[in-house]
Amino acid sequence: MPETDTGAAGTPTATSGATIQLEDLTKLYPGNPNPAVDNVSMDIKAGETVIFVGPSGCGKSTTLKMINRLIEPTSGRIRINDEDVTDIDPVKLRRKVGYAIQSSGLFPHMTVAENIALVPKMVGWSKSKVKDRVEEMLDLVGLDPREFHGRYPRQLSGGQQQRVGVARALAADPPVLLMDEPFGAVDPITRDHLQDELIRLQHELHKTIVFVTHDFDEAIKLGDRIAVLRERSHIAQFDTPEAILTNPADDFVSGFVGAGAALKRLNLTRVRDVGIAEFPTVTVDDPLQSIFNKLRSGPYNELLMLDRRNRPYKWLRRGDLMRARGSLARAGQLVHDTVTLDATLHDALEAVLLDSGGRVAATGRRGEFIGVVDMETLMNSVHELLEADRLTAIEHQHDLEELRAHQTEQELEGGAGT
């Protein structure tokens, strides 16, 4: 497995992902005649995000935990970057494999900085490197180091705790990141944003990520490939999300895909791939009269008010200002939801449909305003997706007709030759 390199300035440079091979991996618990995981073999590419999805009790978490040997395999081999790690010191292995779990797993008696610094200290980084790395990791997951460095886990929201958990898992720059239902304990909106954050991080870091979930929509959104697992982690299908949606291997996989496979494909397109429009903005510090003048003189009926950190705060319509009577404290509609550039079309469409204004603000890493995605843009993208599906279906039908015609010709030629 690759060690972290050190740059000229003494700061650790990024380590990219590693290949993972599971060879006939089996776990048999004493007293149980049937293995929990039975003879699983799988090749995972470097820098790939692979999702394990399957019913409860199918062995997906057990398979994941055998990769870093939190659970020791009964038989089989594990290779990371072609190195057999089955027989090396499991503690040393775990320091080179990041691990993030549900509810973050942060140590409550340690500050955010101390939690993140844990593994870098264990592997012998200097104090200055550790300090720099903590700040780098907090910034990477969208948390201001000055604000969060000294906080304790109990002082964080669930979503913030999960971000710190991911930062801790990545702190020692491991090539492999294992994630066991890490977003399962947070509310749906926070979960969407954490998923988007993971997608953004992977664009930057190119780690090898193995991720366990029971949520097929989450698997579609996050995975480069998805392993649909049956009982004992038998692989029902291991393929790209698009291939599984359009061509499930059998009825078991179809059951996981569920109804509305075409709509689920909206999880394959990102907000960054569609048009993001500019939108007129004001800030909470702007005088009421200047806000009123901007709205009255412009061609628009609505403004977006940003807070002091440039984050979406309130939608303000003309009628809101007429009722303000010198104060904006109760005027306007609070921004309840936003999407990031890595959000899916499904996320954006859901946010727009739930908003009376038919639009949603798009934000950057720390929630700063970037632009707006509206219903018209999303529906145009949906129509393009449907049209592409229609053309693909026509081409597929044409290929089938050609194949049948060819088979008929061969049968006729065979009959004439007898």
Side-chain angles (χ1 to χ4, degrees), residues 198-217:
L198 181 63
I199 293 165
R200 181 189 64 77
L201 287 172
Q202 181 64 334
H203 280 316
E204 293 186 25
L205 302 177
H206 308 290
K207 302 295 183 182
T208 302
I209 299 175
V210 186
F211 188 110
V212 165
T213 183
H214 64 275
D215 183 342
F216 192 71
D217 287 333

Side-chain angles (χ1 to χ4, degrees), residues 237 239-250 253-254 257 261 396:
Q237 189 167 358
D239 214 330
T240 64
E242 188 166 17
I244 291 175
L245 285 172
T246 56
N247 191 26
D250 56 24
V253 179
S254 295
V257 172
H396 181 62

Side-chain angles (χ1 to χ4, degrees), residues 19-32:
T19 59
I20 302 174
Q21 288 92 36
L22 308 182
E23 301 173 4
D24 302 322
L25 208 59
T26 296
K27 180 60 183 179
L28 184 63
Y29 287 101
N32 193 332

Side-chain angles (χ1 to χ4, degrees), residues 31-243:
N32 193 332
N34 297 317
V37 174
D38 184 22
N39 214 37
V40 172
S41 295
M42 178 183 294
D43 287 346
I44 298 173
K45 302 169 187 173
E48 185 176 31
T49 300
V50 167
I51 312 295
F52 292 173
V53 63
S56 297
C58 73
K60 54 187 182 292
S61 289
T62 302
T63 304
L64 181 86
K65 290 174 182 177
M66 283 195 284
I67 296 175
N68 68 349
R69 293 173 58 204
L70 277 172
I71 294 177
E72 288 289 349
T74 304
S75 61
R77 315 303 296 176
I78 305 158
R79 300 183 191 278
I80 298 179
N81 261 0
D82 294 325
E83 179 187 355
D84 189 337
V85 301
T86 315
D87 297 320
I88 71 170
D89 182 351
V91 175
K92 290 182 178 178
L93 170 63
R94 287 172 208 142
R95 290 175 183 174
K96 296 181 179 180
V97 176
Y99 185 55
I101 60 175
Q102 192 175 120
S103 301
S104 78
L106 299 177
F107 293 106
H109 61 286
M110 292 183 177
T111 65
V112 164
E114 289 168 342
N115 267 283
I116 296 172
L118 200 61
V119 178
K121 284 182 177 179
M122 286 180 178
V123 297
W125 289 19
S126 69
K127 285 185 178 180
S128 62
K129 286 181 187 177
V130 171
K131 181 177 179 295
D132 290 344
R133 186 63 171 174
V134 168
E135 293 194 3
E136 181 186 354
M137 287 294 97
L138 283 170
D139 184 66
L140 189 69
V141 298
L143 298 175
D144 188 340
R146 294 168 298 179
E147 183 179 351
F148 290 94
H149 186 279
R151 289 191 184 183
Y152 286 88
R154 65 179 180 276
Q155 298 172 310
L156 308 178
S157 68
Q160 289 167 345
Q161 288 182 27
Q162 289 302 129
R163 288 171 186 259
V164 175
V166 172
R168 184 178 66 180
L170 291 169
D173 198 26
V176 173
L177 176 60
L178 307 180
M179 309 187 79
D180 194 358
E181 302 209 44
F183 309 143
V186 296
D187 64 89
I189 290 176
T190 302
R191 182 172 181 155
D192 284 340
H193 285 286
L194 289 169
Q195 291 166 350
D196 298 343
E197 192 72 15
L198 181 63
I199 293 165
R200 181 189 64 77
L201 287 172
Q202 181 64 334
H203 280 316
E204 293 186 25
L205 302 177
H206 308 290
K207 302 295 183 182
T208 302
I209 299 175
V210 186
F211 188 110
V212 165
T213 183
H214 64 275
D215 183 342
F216 192 71
D217 287 333
E218 182 170 61
I220 295 168
K221 179 175 179 177
L222 296 177
D224 295 314
R225 285 193 293 165
I226 299 172
V228 183
L229 304 180
R230 304 178 191 271
E231 188 179 349
R232 302 175 198 166
S233 282
H234 289 164
I235 299 171
Q237 189 167 358
F238 186 26
D239 214 330
T240 64
E242 188 166 17

